[in-house]
Amino acid sequence: MLKILKNVALYAPEYQGIKDVLICDTRIAHIADCIETPTGLGEVEVFDYSGLKAMPGFIDGHVHMLGGGGEGGPATRTPELMLTTATRAGVTTVVGCLGTDGTTRHMESLIIKARALEEEGLTTFIYTGAYEIPTPTLTGCVRDDLILMDKVIGVGEIALSDHRSAQPTHTDLAKLAAETRVGGMLGGKPGIVHFHVGGGPEGINAIFWMLDHTEIPVTQFLPTHMGRNQALLDQGLALIKKGGHIDITAGSKVPGQIMYLLNKGATLDSITISSDGQGSLPKFNEKGQLIGLKVGQMKRVYEVWRTLIQKHQVDISEALKLVTANPAKNLKLSNTKGAIKPGADADIVIMDDQLNIQELFARGRHMLSHGEPIVKGTFE
Ligand code: ZN
C-alpha cells in the first residue's frame, strides 16, 4: 500500500526541486528531500525516477466518454472511451458529457459509464444534460441532479450559437443558469453551466446578456470550443477581462491562440484546455451540410501542452495550470486534484526530458510503465 517515488523533479505544478514522494494507498502522504524506506509497515514499493519529472495527472473537463456524434446518421455515432485512451494521454480525471444526441445517449448510461471508468482507476464526474433545452436529466430536473447525484458537477454541454442547438432564448438560458447555481450551492458542487459554443455570429452574447440582466456571477459559466474562430477567441478574451474563464478544445491552432490571449493581457489562470475526446468533430459547409467527420482524441490536450513548452517557451509550471490546477479550481476539486501535495489524490504523471509520458499513477495505482499501460480496461 506504500509507494515511494524517489528523486523526481517535482512540478506541483510549481517547481519544488528534486524530491521524494510518499504515496499511502490512494493519497500523497508526504513530500521531502529524502524519504527513507520505513520498516514495520508492510511492503513498500520504491521507484527510482532520477532524471524524470513528476507532475499532477491531467484533468480533461470535456469528454464524450459514452461516445457521441451521429450527425451523419446512425453509422456515425462515435465509440465509447476505453481506459487506456485516457491514461496514455496522461489523464487521471475526466468529466463526461452528452452532446448533440440526447435521444439515443442517456444520462443513465453516462453516469454508469463514469462509474465504470472510476472502477477501472480514473476519477470521473459528469455534466447533466445535452445540447438541448429542456435538457435531459437523471431525476427530472437539473437542480435535483446537482443536489442528489454525487457525480454531477454542473449542466452541459448546452449548445449556443449553433445550427444544432435548440435555439434557446436568453431567458431560457438564464432560468437554467439560475437553477444550476442554486443546485450547485445546495449540493456543494461548482454548479457550472457548460456551453458548447458553435460557429454562429452571436458567439457567447447570451452569456454577456445574462451577466448584464441577472445576478448570476461570471464564474458560473464555462463556454468551450472558444478557439473555433478569431471572433469567438476575442469574445473569450472579453469574458476573461470580466473575471470569467474559458475552455478551448485542443487542436493544432491552440498553442498560437493561447499565446495570442496572453499577449492581449489574459492570464493563464482563466483558461483550460479539454479534448472533446470520443466526440464527433463534424465539418459542415456554409449550407450546413456534413462534409467530414473525425473522432476527438484525448491525447490532443497533452500535445498542445507540450507544444506550448517546446515551441513557445512557456514555463512547464505555467503550462501545467491549463490542464491541472485551473480545471481543478473550476470544478472545486483543488483540495484533492490538480496538485502534488500532501493529502491530495496520488494522481501523478512521470515524464522524461523530452516530456514523453513514461509512468502514470491514478489514485495511487500504477497504470502506465515505460509509456505502456500495465492496467487495462475490462474489454481492452
Ligand atoms: Zn461541443
Side-chain angles (χ1 to χ4, degrees), residues 62 64 131 157 196-197 224-225 228 276:
H62 185 115
H64 294 277
Y131 272 16
E157 54 171 329
H196 157 105
V197 189
T224 189
H225 316 319
R228 190 184 291 280
D276 213 354

Side-chain angles (χ1 to χ4, degrees), residues 111-130:
I111 197 168
I112 209 75
K113 176 68 184 180
R115 281 176 50 193
L117 289 167
E118 183 116 5
E119 269 187 36
E120 291 179 343
L122 301 178
T123 301
T124 57
F125 299 93
I126 59 171
Y127 286 108
T128 193

Side-chain angles (χ1 to χ4, degrees), residues 72-207:
T76 63
R77 295 166 83 257
T78 58
E80 286 190 14
L81 175 65
M82 294 283 189
L83 173 69
T84 59
T85 304
T87 54
R88 281 178 184 277
V91 173
T92 52
T93 301
V94 182
V95 186
C97 59
L98 300 184
T100 320
D101 181 1
T103 300
T104 77
R105 309 283 186 178
H106 308 109
M107 286 308 303
E108 291 83 353
S109 317
L110 181 62
I111 197 168
I112 209 75
K113 176 68 184 180
R115 281 176 50 193
L117 289 167
E118 183 116 5
E119 269 187 36
E120 291 179 343
L122 301 178
T123 301
T124 57
F125 299 93
I126 59 171
Y127 286 108
T128 193
Y131 272 16
E132 68 257 35
I133 282 188
T135 209
T137 63
L138 287 157
T139 61
C141 94
V142 168
R143 172 179 156 135
D144 293 3
D145 278 12
L146 274 159
I147 298 168
L148 301 173
M149 299 295 184
D150 285 350
K151 286 211 174 293
V152 176
I153 47 91
V155 68
E157 54 171 329
I158 305 293
L160 275 189
S161 304
D162 193 295
H163 59 102
R164 292 164 289 171
S165 80
Q167 308 302 336
T169 65
H170 291 174
T171 309
D172 291 337
L173 294 168
K175 284 185 191 303
L176 180 67
E179 187 183 342
T180 307
R181 174 166 172 78
V182 176
M185 292 167 81
L186 296 176
K189 310 283 186 61
I192 293 166
V193 189
H194 187 44
F195 288 114
H196 157 105
V197 189
E202 281 288 304
I204 56 169
N205 280 344
I207 297 179

Side-chain angles (χ1 to χ4, degrees), residues 194-263:
H194 187 44
F195 288 114
H196 157 105
V197 189
E202 281 288 304
I204 56 169
N205 280 344
I207 297 179
F208 293 127
W209 185 91
M210 287 187 274
L211 294 177
D212 289 342
H213 293 86
T214 75
E215 304 76 27
I216 298 165
V218 66
T219 45
Q220 215 76 35
F221 303 106
L222 181 61
T224 189
H225 316 319
M226 291 302 288
R228 190 184 291 280
N229 57 49
Q230 185 61 41
L232 203 50
L233 197 63
D234 285 326
Q235 279 196 318
L237 185 64
L239 190 69
I240 288 171
K241 298 218 161 151
K242 284 177 181 284
H245 39 239
I246 63 168
D247 186 71
I248 301 182
T249 308
S252 55
K253 289 185 192 154
V254 174
Q257 291 176 329
I258 302 264
M259 298 316 291
Y260 171 82
L261 291 172
L262 293 181
N263 286 332

Side-chain angles (χ1 to χ4, degrees), residues 4-11 19 21 23 47-58 87-88 90-92 302 305 320 340 346-362 366-372:
I4 302 174
L5 316 187
K6 292 203 67 82
N7 305 311
V8 291
L10 184 66
Y11 292 83
K19 297 285 177 187
V21 179
I23 297 172
F47 302 84
D48 186 356
Y49 289 147
S50 299
L52 300 176
K53 304 177 196 308
M55 343 193 167
F58 287 14
T87 54
R88 281 178 184 277
V91 173
T92 52
Y302 157 78
W305 171 79
L320 272 174
I340 298 180
D347 296 337
I348 299 172
V349 197
I350 305 288
M351 297 196 204
D352 64 20
D353 246 14
Q354 292 306 305
L355 304 179
N356 297 304
I357 297 172
Q358 294 293 336
E359 312 283 323
L360 185 106
F361 296 83
H366 198 186
M367 308 292 277
L368 293 184
S369 182
H370 301 286
E372 289 301 317

